[in-house]
Amino acid sequence: MDSTACLRLPFLPARTRPSSSSSSSPRRAARASSIKCCAAASDAGASSASISSASPRRPDVVNGVGPAGVEGLAGPPVPVPDSPAPASRDLHWLPRPLTSADLMGVSGEGLKVAYQGCPGAYSEAAAKKAYPNCQTVPCEHFDTAFKAVENWLADRAVLPLENSLGGSIHRNFDLLLRHRLHIVGEVRLAVRHCLLANPGVKIENLKSAMSHPQALAQCEHTLTEFGIEHREAVDDTAGAAKTVAEQNLQDTGAIASSLAAELYGLNVLAENIQDDKDNVTRFIMLAREPIIPRTDKPFKTSIVFSLEEGPGQLFKALGVFALREINLTKIESRPHKKRPLRITDDSFSTPSKQFDYLFYMDLEASMADPKTQNALGNLKEFATFLRVLGSYPTDDEYAC
């Protein structure tokens, strides 16, 4: 310990005590001797710890707190050797901890966003709409995108949940329950399907169309009008475009986005070939941690629960929200895979097996609203299972 670290004692007025020279003199003498030794050690450049071998050496830092100051208060933390402390006691020179706002701004800069499919997929377009400056991470399967976030390979996952024409994507509902990620946002994307083919190929040359099953279903009537009879389903739309380009198929076209045509060097033979022009897909954003709900902007809360068998049970569950004027925007039932069958027995029929169901529900409400908390507390009283999947801002617009 450097000699300059010797503690200087502030001047304190002496207390009035009865004269007791015999008892105070030794103490005063010992104290004076101690101060004198400290000063002598300072002149000689020696460490104050070497004055007395009986007293243990005072540590430089205790629980992250530096040496005591003049007034006996804790000083700033001792800097690391590579960062010498400045002469002043201004604490602004200390580096502050990084926050999520530093690493991930509103534009998503610094975020890694996982999605299912190849580059050029609609899921990638949804990720770019949600986080314009993010780094997208393509994944082979939906489950892979979940695991990428769980294993810290990505910060977010953007996955489709429902389409205005094809309905719900049940696979992702099941994955929401299997994994422990939280919904932190949603985005709606207008889907504009294009018929793509290799250079030189015309529509009349095509005998088959390749794409995702939902994309094929959304373009069924248009493909029939084109005279394309055969359908070939693959995992994603951009993957279909990639296959057509890599294999240089001359009699097969791909249904994908115009961005996929640019990426894989295909020609756009027809645009907006979906049967219904109002074709919108709702995507959700998933993260390892939930966001803090608010009440100053529209929020949506997604939950999943199960009920006991009996008349009026679902009616009772819906009533906890109706009584509090909480609007429901979606309800979806899925078989309970952990309890797929339930045996029922009554006095009027023989025992039978029935499905147990999970109910997925979206509420136009924020978890920060007390009436939402009260409604879920009421539901929990008779539900056999309840889990909040996320409370997040509502996306009321979609990209055209």
Side-chain angles (χ1 to χ4, degrees):
M1 189 174 195
D2 191 78
S3 60
T4 57
C6 254
L7 183 65
R8 294 190 177 185
L9 301 177
F11 174 78
L12 296 176
R15 293 183 180 180
T16 305
R17 295 183 179 180
S19 58
S20 162
S21 58
S22 59
S23 59
S24 61
S25 296
R27 294 181 183 177
R28 189 178 298 112
R31 182 176 179 184
S33 175
S34 174
I35 297 176
K36 182 177 180 181
C37 290
C38 183
S42 175
D43 295 339
S47 172
S48 60
S50 61
I51 295 175
S52 173
S53 58
S55 60
R57 182 181 185 272
R58 181 183 298 272
D60 294 340
V61 179
V62 178
N63 294 331
V65 179
V70 174
E71 303 298 331
L73 302 177
V78 176
V80 295
D82 295 338
S83 303
S88 66
R89 291 195 57 180
D90 183 12
L91 300 183
H92 293 292
W93 68 273
L94 292 172
R96 64 178 178 84
L98 290 176
T99 65
S100 57
D102 297 324
L103 301 177
M104 310 167 223
V106 177
S107 63
E109 186 173 357
L111 275 178
K112 291 184 178 180
V113 181
Y115 68 94
Q116 186 272 333
C118 298
Y122 291 108
S123 295
E124 183 182 30
K128 288 293 187 180
K129 182 189 176 185
Y131 309 105
N133 297 322
C134 70
Q135 177 186 346
T136 54
V137 181
C139 300
E140 186 177 4
H141 304 293
F142 289 125
D143 190 56
T144 308
F146 277 85
K147 292 179 179 178
V149 179
E150 290 176 333
N151 296 328
W152 295 79
L153 300 176
D155 304 296
R156 300 284 189 275
V158 173
L159 300 171
L161 203 61
E162 57 181 336
N163 177 264
S164 58
L165 300 181
S168 300
I169 302 175
H170 297 134
R171 170 66 172 164
N172 286 344
F173 278 94
D174 296 338
L175 290 174
L176 283 174
L177 191 61
R178 179 182 302 176
H179 297 271
R180 302 297 299 184
L181 298 182
H182 303 269
I183 304 177
V184 295
E186 69 173 2
V187 62
R188 300 173 187 268
L189 184 72
V191 177
R192 303 287 182 249
H193 290 310
C194 300
L195 181 60
L196 314 179
N198 282 298
V201 177
K202 299 180 180 180
I203 293 181
E204 51 267 24
N205 302 135
L206 298 178
K207 298 179 181 180
S208 177
M210 179 186 300
S211 191
H212 187 274
Q214 288 227 10
L216 293 173
Q218 294 164 11
C219 304
E220 179 64 29
H221 296 298
T222 305
L223 292 176
T224 301
E225 291 178 358
F226 288 158
I228 303 174
E229 300 180 356
H230 183 66
R231 314 284 188 264
E232 187 174 350
V234 293
D235 289 338
D236 67 285
T237 56
K242 182 179 180 181
T243 300
V244 169
E246 288 181 344
Q247 299 182 12
N248 194 26
L249 301 178
Q250 300 297 308
D251 60 349
T252 302
I255 299 177
S257 64
S258 56
L259 176 60
E262 297 177 9
L263 292 176
Y264 302 109
L266 300 177
N267 289 344
V268 178
L269 303 184
E271 294 181 321
N272 295 334
I273 65 172
Q274 61 274 2
D275 299 332
D276 192 330
K277 302 308 176 184
D278 293 328
N279 184 12
V280 181
T281 299
R282 176 183 170 229
F283 294 81
I284 56 173
M285 286 89 81
L286 301 169
R288 289 179 292 272
E289 299 293 337
I291 62 174
I292 299 176
R294 299 161 54 179
T295 57
D296 59 343
K297 60 188 303 185
F299 257 65
K300 182 180 291 186
T301 299
S302 297
I303 64 173
V304 56
F305 62 92
S306 61
L307 301 168
E308 289 285 357
E309 173 63 20
Q313 286 293 311
L314 182 58
F315 174 80
K316 185 178 178 181
L318 297 177
V320 304
F321 303 106
L323 292 175
R324 295 168 176 85
E325 298 183 346
I326 297 176
N327 188 39
L328 309 181
T329 60
K330 181 179 178 61
I331 182 170
E332 181 90 17
S333 63
R334 295 287 297 155
H336 199 322
K337 294 188 175 181
K338 291 187 177 180
R339 294 187 301 173
L341 293 176
R342 178 181 61 250
I343 299 178
T344 59
D345 189 5
D346 55 54
S347 57
F348 301 101
S349 63
T350 58
S352 61
K353 294 182 179 181
Q354 298 181 4
F355 284 108
D356 256 336
Y357 285 95
L358 291 165
F359 297 96
Y360 293 82
M361 190 178 293
D362 289 342
L363 321 172
E364 280 188 340
S366 170
M367 281 298 295
D369 191 340
K371 69 179 183 179
T372 307
Q373 300 176 17
N374 293 335
L376 295 182
N378 191 178
L379 177 61
K380 190 175 181 180
E381 292 176 358
F382 56 90
T384 58
F385 169 77
L386 173 63
R387 176 178 160 192
V388 177
L389 299 173
S391 190
Y392 47 91
T394 302
D395 181 25
D396 294 326
E397 301 179 356
Y398 61 86
C400 298

